[in-house]
Amino acid sequence: MLPKTGRKFPLWTGVLGGRDTYAQTIAELLRKEHGDSRRAIKQLMRQTDASERTVKHWLSAQHGPDTVYFLRLVVSSPVIRAFVLGLLEGPAAIPLTGPVDRISLARAREAYAAGEAAGGRSATGAREYDPERVPERDPINVPDRAEINERQRWFLSRVVEGRCDAREIAAVWDVSLKTARRDIAALKAADLICYVGSPRKGRYRKTTG
């Protein structure tokens, strides 16, 4: 709610004037940092976990990064971070009128910790490792325990017998690796399996639920 008196929201101009301008600005910044080669696309995919098509859209200014991807760029890209700092110091930014009080700082830290926990990070800040994790851009329909498909039943039986991964599903059932990873991710989301051990020597196992 806006106060009855005081500064009003600005009429947005420049980079914040519209989606097209935003997309063009981000494209220029990313090309300045990475270029627009195949290597640049791969680098941005690693930084943000976005698909190749999405990154190409950013670099061609077809659209700008949405919220989650933009925040990932703020964290991983010095150029984008400097751009954000420039916005915060620009004429449209409402200045702080005084120091942030301890209660506000405490609430901000609590909100950050809650967000990290909701995102799957441990108390040490490390994300739970899973070699077959499906990126967030590919939503997963979590199956009911009674609705798993034949491939997933086969995978569950293989997990009991020993180590098994998405490559085996793809090879045995003649499906893409992406489909196989979706099968595994859905089983994890349904709490039917979990990944234990190190990235190189770990394995899946059935949960006890």
Side-chain angles (χ1 to χ4, degrees):
M1 181 179 296
L2 286 172
K4 293 182 179 180
T5 60
R7 183 171 180 176
K8 297 180 180 179
F9 281 135
L11 179 63
W12 298 113
T13 59
V15 66
L16 300 178
R19 293 181 181 276
D20 291 343
T21 307
Y22 164 69
Q24 186 63 47
T25 301
I26 295 299
E28 290 174 1
L29 292 172
L30 293 178
R31 287 197 297 265
K32 182 178 294 185
E33 182 176 10
H34 298 283
D36 55 3
S37 64
R38 177 70 180 175
R39 183 178 179 181
I41 294 172
K42 290 292 186 183
Q43 176 64 26
L44 285 167
M45 289 171 65
R46 286 193 294 270
Q47 283 181 224
T48 62
D49 201 22
S51 67
E52 180 177 355
R53 181 180 179 184
T54 297
V55 171
K56 286 181 177 179
H57 283 176
W58 298 343
L59 291 173
S60 63
Q62 291 188 44
H63 62 72
D66 64 17
T67 306
V68 172
Y69 291 135
F70 182 75
L71 290 174
R72 290 174 181 172
L73 285 170
V74 171
V75 172
S76 62
S77 166
V79 170
I80 299 299
R81 191 178 310 154
F83 164 69
V84 172
L85 291 175
L87 288 177
L88 294 177
E89 296 171 356
I94 299 176
L96 294 174
T97 56
V100 180
D101 61 84
R102 292 182 179 180
I103 295 177
S104 297
L105 282 175
R107 288 175 178 171
R109 293 190 182 103
E110 289 174 2
Y112 173 78
E116 290 291 88
R121 290 187 180 274
S122 67
T124 60
R127 184 179 293 277
E128 178 187 358
Y129 181 80
D130 180 357
E132 315 295 357
R133 185 175 68 84
V134 177
E136 293 175 11
R137 62 181 177 271
D138 297 327
I140 302 166
N141 293 321
V142 179
D144 185 89
R145 288 173 180 261
E147 295 178 351
I148 61 176
N149 63 41
E150 193 173 358
R151 293 189 306 273
Q152 290 168 320
R153 292 193 184 92
W154 176 85
F155 182 77
L156 286 174
S157 67
R158 290 283 293 149
V159 165
V160 173
E161 295 172 6
R163 294 181 64 179
C164 187
D165 58 21
R167 292 187 295 272
E168 290 192 44
I169 296 178
V172 172
W173 293 89
D174 193 24
V175 296
S176 69
L177 194 57
K178 184 175 181 179
T179 296
R181 285 173 174 164
R182 281 180 179 274
D183 283 344
I184 294 175
L187 290 173
K188 280 197 67 184
D191 198 27
L192 293 171
I193 60 171
C194 61
Y195 188 85
V196 295
S198 66
R200 296 188 64 182
K201 298 183 179 180
R203 63 183 181 86
Y204 290 100
R205 73 179 183 188
K206 290 185 71 174
T207 58
T208 56

